[in-house]
């Protein structure tokens, strides 16, 4: 009888320690999930901000202003248009 009680006591102690370990792991994993979800939210907000900034950078007015200021481009007009024609005569 005494031996059975010791075996049962050992079983209860081992299961209690296992339960504590499982709870610890569960809490640790839950904290990691929360941290990952927070990072995902932060990255999503950053992505949306970058999308808005990209749309703002690609406005036609801004592109035209950069073309004029940095590339010294100007709108095409008939006065500055040069037409290239080909000679239709056969080559000897």
């Amino acid at each position: 009888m005494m031996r059975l009680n010791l075996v049962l006591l050992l079983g209860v102690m081992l299961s209690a320690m296992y339960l504590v370990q499982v709870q610890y792991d569960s809490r640790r994993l839950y904290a990691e999930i929360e941290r990952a979800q927070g990072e995902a939210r932060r990255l999503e907000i950053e992505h949306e901000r970058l999308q808005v900034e990209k749309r703002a950078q690609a406005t036609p007015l801004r592109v035209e202003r950069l073309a004029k200021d940095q590339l010294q481009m100007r709108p095409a007009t008939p006065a500055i248009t040069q037409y290239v024609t080909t000679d239709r005569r056969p080559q000897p």
Side-chain angles (χ1 to χ4, degrees):
M1 186 70 175
M2 184 69 165
R3 187 175 267 185
L4 179 62
N5 286 341
L6 287 176
V7 170
L8 290 176
L9 178 63
L10 182 63
V12 169
M13 293 299 287
L14 288 175
S15 66
M17 287 191 291
Y18 180 71
L19 178 64
V20 169
Q21 181 65 35
V22 167
Q23 286 178 338
Y24 172 77
D25 289 342
S26 174
R27 288 185 184 124
R28 184 180 49 82
L29 291 173
Y30 183 76
E32 284 183 31
I33 288 172
E34 288 294 318
R35 206 172 10 257
Q37 287 175 342
E39 179 70 11
R41 281 190 296 272
R42 186 189 67 76
L43 289 173
E44 187 175 329
I45 290 169
E46 177 73 10
H47 177 69
E48 289 174 7
R49 185 188 65 78
L50 289 172
Q51 290 294 328
V52 168
E53 188 175 320
K54 180 177 130 181
R55 284 191 296 271
Q57 295 289 326
T59 60
L61 183 61
R62 182 178 182 280
V63 171
E64 183 178 344
R65 187 177 61 236
L66 287 174
K68 285 180 183 177
D69 297 344
Q70 293 181 359
L71 302 175
Q72 287 81 39
M73 297 175 82
R74 60 180 187 242
T77 62
I80 60 170
T81 304
Q82 296 179 359
Y83 297 97
V84 178
T85 59
T86 60
D87 189 13
R88 300 279 180 177
R89 289 180 275 159
Q91 295 287 332

